[in-house]
Amino acid sequence: MAVGRAVDRETLLALYRTMVRIRTFEETAHKEFLKGEMPGFLHLYSGEEAIAVGVMSVLEPDDYLSTHHRGHGHLIAKGGDTKRMFAELLGKADGFCKGKGGSMHIADISLGVLGANGIVGACVHIATGAAFACQYQKNGKIAVAFLGDASTNRGTFHEALNLASIWELPVVYVVENNHYGVANPQSEHMRIKDIADRAAGYGFPGVVVDGNDVIAVREAAAEAVDRARGGGGPTLMECKTWRHWGHFIGDAATYRDPVEHEAWLKRDPLILCAEALRSREWATEEDLEKIQAEADVEMVAALEFAKKSPYPSKDELLTDVYVD
Ligand SMILES: Cc1ncc(C[n+]2csc(CCOP(=O)(O)OP(=O)(O)O)c2C)c(N)n1
Ligand SMILES: [Mg+2]
């Protein structure tokens, strides 16, 4: 999704549309999972859509990204086809990884998506390596890593940031701080309030961003992306946000304060973006309803396509698994 930098009517509508498509994808997957029709685990991105959409709106189509276990939104925002995504979630042959990756390992190299990843924090080193390749090849591309708050406690996160700093790599680290690592609140897994402060230890900028405000995310991302592409090195963007559901489907999230949860729900990124569109008189209620209706139609058709897709044949079992 490439749109101009200025937030005009068309741009904001495009951002809203992609957020609605991600939310509708996630809620459709949620219902399907609860019917027992989807194997594996699903970590829903609902509530965090403004981050993927805001960042992706200032990337070039062939820039790289790597993401984590909560990665559906990143692929959709980068242009991933929802039919092939549902097929992947169902383990079908038409999926992005021919059904072998599933929710946590969706990748599409043609879109620059180096993969979701079930290993917490692995996306950090993968994006850092990709950024090194971009610099080495002088191809003008950059890499972005999307990671969670808890994954910034891994040793490899610090090693990667140090190297990225020393080599001035064209990389942006986007921390999606939803304030929990599974059931552990941030206050119990680190002693600092702003994860952006960690960038100071490596001598590059760290910024705190309202992760539920797509315009704020886009503005901060534009600056970080320009710095990376212009040879200025990395940036750490900490986007404060909240997941609507538990860590994965099946986690009732009883460890969260219901009052805090309700307060965050009022700041749902879709609600904030719809308000921004209404207050500028850029969209009527009918416009917003039409966007939702289109997303509903898309996801029904995408799920239907995925259900009809065949399972991979047995002789495909080891294809694309080993490299000679
Ligand atoms: C290396 C590693 N350690 C632990 C786990 C188990 N695990 C899966 S998700 C998760 C928490 C991740 O929290 P955060 O990085 O904040 O991302 P969020 O789920 O909140 O988006 C953990 C500990 C794992 N998958 N990989
Ligand atoms: Mg988290």
Side-chain angles (χ1 to χ4, degrees):
M1 170 177 119
V3 285
R5 287 285 170 86
V7 179
D8 54 17
R9 179 175 182 271
E10 288 315 308
T11 305
L12 198 55
L13 277 169
L15 300 178
Y16 183 72
R17 188 172 295 113
T18 310
M19 289 200 290
V20 170
R21 289 180 58 240
I22 295 172
R23 176 72 54 89
T24 311
F25 180 93
E26 292 297 60
E27 298 311 328
T28 306
H30 194 169
K31 283 193 207 120
E32 209 56 22
F33 188 90
L34 290 177
K35 285 189 214 157
E37 309 241 339
M38 229 168 232
F41 285 100
L42 285 196
H43 304 80
L44 298 178
Y45 196 58
S46 301
E48 306 187 15
E49 295 90 345
I51 306 171
V53 172
V55 173
M56 243 59 89
S57 74
V58 293
L59 290 187
E60 294 298 326
D62 53 1
D63 285 334
Y64 294 109
L65 76 84
S66 63
T67 173
H68 50 156
H69 51 282
R70 205 175 295 289
H72 305 161
H74 308 110
L75 190 60
I76 295 175
K78 196 76 167 51
D81 179 347
T82 49
K83 292 198 290 299
R84 296 188 61 201
M85 286 187 64
F86 275 128
E88 189 60 41
L89 265 52
L90 288 172
K92 299 294 189 76
D94 289 309
F96 275 105
C97 305
K98 300 180 196 163
K100 287 183 199 136
S103 163
M104 274 189 277
H105 298 98
I106 298 190
D108 184 3
I109 305 301
S110 71
L111 290 173
V113 178
L114 302 175
N117 206 305
I119 299 171
V120 163
C123 51
V124 178
H125 351 134
I126 291 171
T128 305
F132 174 76
C134 294
Q135 186 188 62
Y136 188 76
Q137 294 173 343
K138 298 188 175 64
N139 61 18
K141 301 182 197 178
I142 69 160
V144 181
F146 293 90
L147 58 145
D149 45 292
S151 65
T152 70
N153 294 328
R154 285 206 59 201
T156 45
F157 166 86
H158 297 275
E159 293 175 29
L161 266 66
N162 192 47
L163 271 184
S165 164
I166 287 177
W167 291 339
E168 296 182 310
L169 296 182
V171 60
V172 182
Y173 301 105
V174 181
V175 178
E176 304 180 321
N177 184 359
N178 58 21
H179 301 87
Y180 281 83
V182 193
N184 303 293
Q186 186 190 343
S187 57
E188 284 179 22
H189 70 67
M190 62 177 70
R191 289 283 182 221
I192 56 171
K193 196 166 155 281
D194 293 329
I195 296 171
D197 290 351
R198 294 199 155 165
Y202 303 105
F204 59 79
V207 288
V208 176
V209 185
D210 179 349
N212 284 14
D213 176 347
V214 71
I215 299 174
V217 173
R218 180 181 156 91
E219 282 170 359
E223 203 171 308
V225 164
D226 286 350
R227 173 178 298 108
R229 215 182 296 285
T235 302
L236 173 63
M237 284 174 57
E238 179 196 2
C239 301
K240 310 251 191 201
T241 189
W242 193 255
R243 52 172 155 75
H244 281 193
W245 300 102
H247 175 63
F248 48 64
I249 299 178
D251 166 19
T254 47
Y255 45 82
R256 294 195 301 200
D257 174 1
V259 177
E260 194 182 11
H261 180 56
E262 286 306 316
W264 274 100
L265 291 187
K266 289 195 179 112
R267 298 203 72 256
D268 176 333
L270 268 60
I271 293 179
L272 296 189
C273 189
E275 272 169 20
L277 282 161
R278 281 190 211 103
S279 66
R280 290 166 170 80
E281 298 186 359
W282 285 351
T284 61
E285 283 318 305
E286 294 82 73
D287 295 331
L288 301 180
E289 281 165 18
K290 187 161 173 264
I291 288 171
Q292 181 61 65
E294 284 168 359
D296 291 340
V297 169
E298 176 188 346
M299 299 315 155
V300 168
L303 186 60
E304 205 175 295
F305 167 88
K307 284 185 175 174
K308 284 187 186 144
S309 169
Y311 284 107
S313 72
K314 282 184 188 149
D315 42 290
E316 280 278 309
L317 197 63
L318 298 180
T319 316
D320 304 326
V321 174
Y322 298 108
V323 177
D324 290 330

